[in-house]
Amino acid sequence: MTFADDGALAVWLAEQAGTELLEVRRGGLEGKALKDAGDAASQAVLARLLAEHRPGDAVLSEEAADDAARVAAERVWIIDPLDGTREFSEPPRDDWAVHVALWERGDLIVGAVAQPALGETFSTASPLTVPSRGEGPVRIAVSRSRPPAFVGELAEEIGAELVPMGSAGVKVMSVVRDLTDVYVHAGGQYEWDSAAPVVVARAAGLHTSRADGRPLEYNRENPWLPDLLVCRPELAETVASFVAGRLG
């Protein structure tokens, strides 16, 4: 197969890796062995296919050694072969994902987030449109195991409810899918945790920024990204101001 369009390639890459992960999950492994096998298998698929279809592009991946030359590259694929390894290792949970994004000359341009166990891929190639918010309290996506204390304070401040779930990508996609209204994180992540979800969320018309409203930057020498906010645009100022006051 050949792909002239980067967006279509991102979708195909995420889905090919997702298919491999479903096969690994059916292989009878458990616990850490399943996590490690999933990480390795998905990385192998993505590395092979990127080398075949975009041999001149740089790659930043959670599961590969970082080549500092990427910082000077014009095009960098930012990938997380398996986001939510804990959830992946707990069948039949579906809140894990594959992230594939392309950064070009200063910004993210395309991306795809596959949720293979859900049978869905969310992408810039076929962006969703988030409907107007319905009645009821604001819904905030949080980690099911490590919800930060300030998010509880935020929920109390604005009368919101907390919705626990797995991987970072799944949390961002929950806002894209209108399952939640806000995902705010301040415990630290890496660029591959958010790049694909962020560009998909932008395509859906959502606000994306640092938790206090500052712009996000990708393909930096140090790929550590301290915090993240993805939400409905009308909630951005309220949430960012609260976070800036608590964490600033």
Side-chain angles (χ1 to χ4, degrees), residues 123-124 127-131 175-177 198-206 233:
S123 73
T124 54
L128 297 181
T129 300
V130 180
V175 188
V176 172
R177 298 168 62 201
V198 159
V199 73
V200 171
R202 287 177 183 171
L206 294 168

Side-chain angles (χ1 to χ4, degrees), residues 32-75:
K32 185 177 186 302
L34 179 54
K35 294 177 184 179
D36 292 346
D39 282 333
S42 187
Q43 170 64 27
V45 168
L46 292 172
R48 174 173 57 82
L49 294 177
L50 280 169
E52 178 181 347
H53 293 276
R54 295 293 187 271
D57 292 351
V59 179
L60 171 63
S61 171
E62 179 178 14
E63 300 301 326
D66 187 10
D67 183 350
R70 66 170 170 79
V71 177
E74 292 192 347
R75 288 165 52 94

Side-chain angles (χ1 to χ4, degrees), residues 25 43 55 68 79 117 120 149 153 163-164 167-168 196 203 210 224 236 240:
R25 216 183 194 197
Q43 170 64 27
I79 63 173
E120 296 280 359
E153 297 172 8
V163 183
S167 82
R210 295 279 301 275
W224 179 252

Side-chain angles (χ1 to χ4, degrees), residues 1-206:
M1 300 179 68
T2 59
F3 292 91
D5 181 75
D6 290 319
L9 176 59
V11 171
W12 183 73
L13 289 169
E15 291 181 344
Q16 292 300 302
T19 297
E20 183 69 16
L21 283 165
L22 291 175
E23 285 295 318
V24 171
R25 216 183 194 197
R26 289 190 284 264
L29 297 173
E30 296 180 352
K32 185 177 186 302
L34 179 54
K35 294 177 184 179
D36 292 346
D39 282 333
S42 187
Q43 170 64 27
V45 168
L46 292 172
R48 174 173 57 82
L49 294 177
L50 280 169
E52 178 181 347
H53 293 276
R54 295 293 187 271
D57 292 351
V59 179
L60 171 63
S61 171
E62 179 178 14
E63 300 301 326
D66 187 10
D67 183 350
R70 66 170 170 79
V71 177
E74 292 192 347
R75 288 165 52 94
V76 182
W77 292 88
I78 303 176
I79 63 173
D80 189 344
L82 175 52
D83 182 55
T85 52
R86 175 178 174 178
E87 289 73 24
F88 173 76
S89 71
E90 298 175 355
R93 294 194 70 98
D94 61 23
D95 49 346
W96 51 277
V98 178
H99 299 176
V100 178
L102 175 60
W103 176 96
E104 183 175 86
R105 298 186 184 95
D107 205 0
L108 302 170
I109 60 168
V110 299
V113 177
Q115 288 187 239
L118 195 64
E120 296 280 359
T121 301
F122 308 97
S123 73
T124 54
S126 301
L128 297 181
T129 300
V130 180
S132 300
R133 201 174 81 81
E135 298 296 325
V138 171
R139 303 158 296 175
I140 304 177
V142 295
S143 169
R144 66 187 181 105
S145 58
R146 303 178 301 278
F150 84 89
V151 176
E153 297 172 8
L154 170 64
E156 185 174 349
E157 176 84 9
I158 65 176
E161 63 181 19
L162 303 181
V163 183
M165 60 187 70
S167 82
V170 168
K171 293 185 190 76
V172 176
M173 290 308 99
S174 74
V175 188
V176 172
R177 298 168 62 201
D178 191 31
L179 302 177
T180 63
D181 304 299
V182 176
Y183 171 47
V184 58
H185 178 82
Q189 295 175 330
Y190 287 91
E191 292 184 10
W192 49 73
D193 291 311
S194 67
V198 159
V199 73
V200 171
R202 287 177 183 171
L206 294 168

Side-chain angles (χ1 to χ4, degrees), residues 222-244:
N222 181 355
W224 179 252
L225 189 61
D227 46 61
L228 175 68
L229 170 60
V230 177
C231 66
R232 290 174 172 274
E234 65 269 25
L235 298 172
E237 184 175 353
T238 297
V239 176
S241 295
F242 180 91
V243 172

